[in-house]
Amino acid sequence: MPAVPPQSGPTAPQGAAPAPEATPERRTAWAEGVDRLRTAATTEPGRLRIIGAVLALLVVAFGTVTAWQMTERSTAADDVLHSSQPLSASAADIYRSLADANTAASSGFLAGGQETKASRDRYELDIKTAAAKLITAANSSDPGSPSAKTITELNKLLPEYKGLIERARANNRQGFPLGGAYLRYANEKMQQEMLPKAQDLYQRENQRLNADYADAKPYPWAAIGLGVLAIGGLVWAQRRNYRRTNRVLNQGMLAASAASGVVLLWLVVGHSVARAGLNESYDHGVRSLNVLHDTQIASLKARGNENLTLVSRGAETKVLADKTTVDAYDYDFGEDMKSLTKGLALAADLSNDEAGAKPVKAATANMKEWKLRHKAASTANEKGEYQEALERVIGGNPKNPPTGDCFDGVDKNLAIALTHEEHEFKQAAGDGLDAMTGLPVGAAILAVLAAAGALLGIGRRLSEYR
């Protein structure tokens, strides 16, 4: 009997249906697309279609990124001109108005019951200005922000300060010594609570201004890079077309290159001009304004401490690091005058034209004369000649020219310098903003035209294969 070959596995029973064939795995749309693209790249028409699509995508991306980046920078530049800098100036005005009100109150107090109408009106105007600026700042601040909290606290402290000043005046008119105590208490509230909060608000608004500058000035490198890439692609495509057909010009591609070149040139030149204007507005506007604001505040604080030196008559003292005991207000006056001297010197260095330098020079001359007159008043006060010292500070005797005239000269000339620098800032920042006007929209429109030109140029070449 023949041997039966061994079986490797179980056999299907007779009559059973054959096993179904395995279903091939379905390919993804991405894989199919890649295959089609690879197949298309093997023919010249397919390669042209790919080139056209890539060029159109590059040009559209260039226009989109340009419009996006320049919109952001234009918005930031607009905020610099119309939002953050005015708010910073308002915060500085709040500080100045509060410091000036404190100075006017002490000047009126020294006049005794014969407080002048000018002194009273100046105090009232400062209080109204501070209240109005606080309302403006509150409307512009974000609810719940640190600035909003500071503004709320200042709004609460302002009527408290006014109440103390009125009590000081009422007692002073009746000749009660308690008036001086109320005035010193009001000054402490101003110096230790209100002015530090106003300074904090001013610094925050300056930080916001600096942040807007930081957003407006950087070069749009992403847009510039895409522009160079898009123009490079268009040039390469035209060179390729020339090498294959000996045709020098392709109208569609040429139009696309021209439109892209215009956008890139507009972008670089426009932003460079805008950047220069913003730098000018900061270097010869914001920096000068900050220095002048600080200098004016130093002048106001010096005048207030000069007045309070006579009001307190040595009742307020402080011990220095070397254990020396000095009159607190007279010492603070000296420190404020150092700040005033330094501020005027810096303001003179930052002045870039005669219109800005002239009032600073005049204020410096007033400050030097102020120091001389103050020294004479201090000498009289140290000798116990209080009436002469008082006359040398607030006036009343033609033989003793008062320091108040010098302070008024400093304050007036600094105000003129501030007005000039404010104008310089607005002009330079406005020029910077104008340089970006229309660039986002223009870039988007030209990019669409460039993409259309690239597609038309490629389409004309494709028509030769039909």
Side-chain angles (χ1 to χ4, degrees):
M1 173 183 280
V4 178
Q7 296 182 358
S8 60
T11 58
Q14 294 184 359
E21 296 182 2
T23 304
E25 183 179 353
R26 182 172 182 143
R27 305 185 65 201
T28 63
W30 171 258
E32 292 180 359
V34 171
D35 282 347
R36 290 176 183 174
L37 188 63
R38 187 182 296 115
T39 302
T42 61
T43 65
E44 181 62 12
R47 285 192 287 268
L48 288 173
R49 291 189 180 94
I50 294 172
I51 291 171
V54 171
L55 290 177
L57 182 62
L58 275 176
V59 172
V60 169
F62 170 42
T64 301
V65 173
T66 299
W68 165 54
Q69 289 196 310
M70 293 313 300
T71 296
E72 284 191 335
R73 284 156 178 75
S74 180
T75 299
D78 186 76
D79 287 341
V80 165
L81 181 60
H82 297 118
S83 178
S84 52
Q85 196 283 327
L87 287 174
S88 177
S90 293
D93 286 341
I94 291 171
Y95 195 117
R96 189 205 64 79
S97 297
L98 292 175
D100 193 53
N102 201 46
T103 299
S106 61
S107 297
F109 188 91
L110 283 177
Q114 304 300 318
E115 180 182 5
T116 64
K117 183 177 183 300
S119 176
R120 178 75 183 191
D121 289 345
R122 181 168 181 167
Y123 168 81
E124 294 293 346
L125 178 61
D126 286 330
I127 293 296
K128 290 179 181 178
T129 300
K133 294 293 183 179
L134 283 171
I135 292 173
T136 301
N139 292 334
S140 302
S141 62
D142 297 327
S145 65
S147 294
K149 182 180 178 182
T150 300
I151 293 168
T152 300
E153 292 170 348
L154 283 172
N155 276 320
K156 180 181 178 182
L157 289 169
L158 188 58
E160 294 178 7
Y161 172 81
K162 288 176 60 180
L164 291 171
I165 293 296
E166 292 308 318
R167 290 188 183 94
R169 282 176 170 157
N171 282 276
N172 192 42
R173 281 193 295 267
Q174 299 178 60
F176 296 156
L178 189 59
Y182 274 119
L183 183 65
R184 291 194 297 274
Y185 186 30
N187 178 71
E188 289 177 4
K189 183 174 285 292
M190 177 65 74
Q191 298 289 348
Q192 298 177 13
E193 298 183 56
M194 299 177 71
L195 289 182
K197 292 183 185 301
Q199 177 73 14
D200 184 56
L201 180 64
Y202 175 53
Q203 290 175 347
R204 283 203 191 96
E205 295 303 332
N206 261 351
Q207 289 173 359
R208 181 196 286 190
L209 175 61
N210 290 335
D212 286 336
Y213 267 110
D215 290 339
K217 293 196 299 183
Y219 274 104
W221 291 116
I224 293 174
L226 279 171
V228 172
L229 188 60
I231 292 176
L234 287 166
V235 171
W236 172 82
Q238 291 175 86
R239 182 172 180 274
R240 181 181 184 276
N241 183 58
Y242 168 73
R243 293 179 64 185
R244 292 175 181 270
T245 65
N246 284 329
R247 293 172 184 166
V248 178
L249 298 178
N250 179 300
Q251 294 179 348
M253 300 287 283
L254 185 62
S257 300
S260 298
V262 169
V263 174
L264 183 59
L265 182 63
W266 189 2
L267 172 65
V268 174
V269 174
H271 189 270
S272 296
V273 173
R275 183 185 173 92
L278 290 170
N279 283 333
E280 176 75 12
S281 72
Y282 187 85
D283 293 336
H284 300 295
V286 172
R287 288 183 62 199
S288 296
L289 286 170
N290 288 341
V291 169
L292 289 170
H293 280 307
D294 292 342
T295 304
Q296 190 177 46
I297 288 167
S299 171
L300 292 166
K301 292 172 72 174
R303 179 59 177 173
N305 283 316
E306 183 179 47
N307 292 337
L308 286 166
T309 300
L310 297 180
V311 171
S312 67
R313 300 192 183 189
E316 296 290 335
T317 60
K318 67 168 57 178
V319 180
L320 303 181
D322 60 359
K323 307 302 181 181
T324 304
T325 301
V326 296
D327 183 287
Y329 296 120
D330 189 55
Y331 177 82
D332 289 342
F333 169 83
E335 295 300 305
D336 293 332
M337 290 302 285
K338 291 178 183 178
S339 298
L340 176 59
T341 303
K342 182 179 179 181
L344 285 170
L346 185 54
D349 290 339
L350 291 174
S351 300
N352 62 330
D353 57 16
E354 182 61 24
K358 184 176 179 180
V360 174
K361 290 178 182 177
T364 301
N366 293 139
M367 177 268 297
K368 291 178 179 178
E369 180 64 21
W370 186 359
K371 287 181 177 180
L372 294 175
R373 294 185 185 183
H374 176 79
K375 184 176 181 181
S378 294
T379 300
N381 192 36
E382 290 170 359
K383 291 180 179 179
E385 298 172 354
Y386 179 79
Q387 186 59 36
E388 181 183 342
L390 187 64
E391 291 171 353
R392 290 185 179 277
V393 171
I394 67 172
N397 186 344
K399 296 181 180 180
N400 299 324
T403 60
D405 291 347
C406 301
F407 161 72
D408 289 339
V410 171
D411 194 59
K412 177 183 177 181
N413 283 295
L414 286 177
I416 294 172
L418 279 165
T419 300
H420 172 74
E421 296 301 333
E422 185 78 21
H423 174 74
E424 292 282 294
F425 162 79
K426 289 181 178 178
Q427 182 174 351
D431 291 342
L433 179 59
D434 290 343
M436 289 187 274
T437 300
L439 182 51
V441 176
I445 294 173
L446 287 173
V448 171
L449 293 176
L455 292 176
L456 287 173
I458 294 294
R460 183 173 182 179
R461 181 79 177 88
L462 279 170
S463 65
E464 298 173 2
Y465 288 90
R466 297 172 186 170

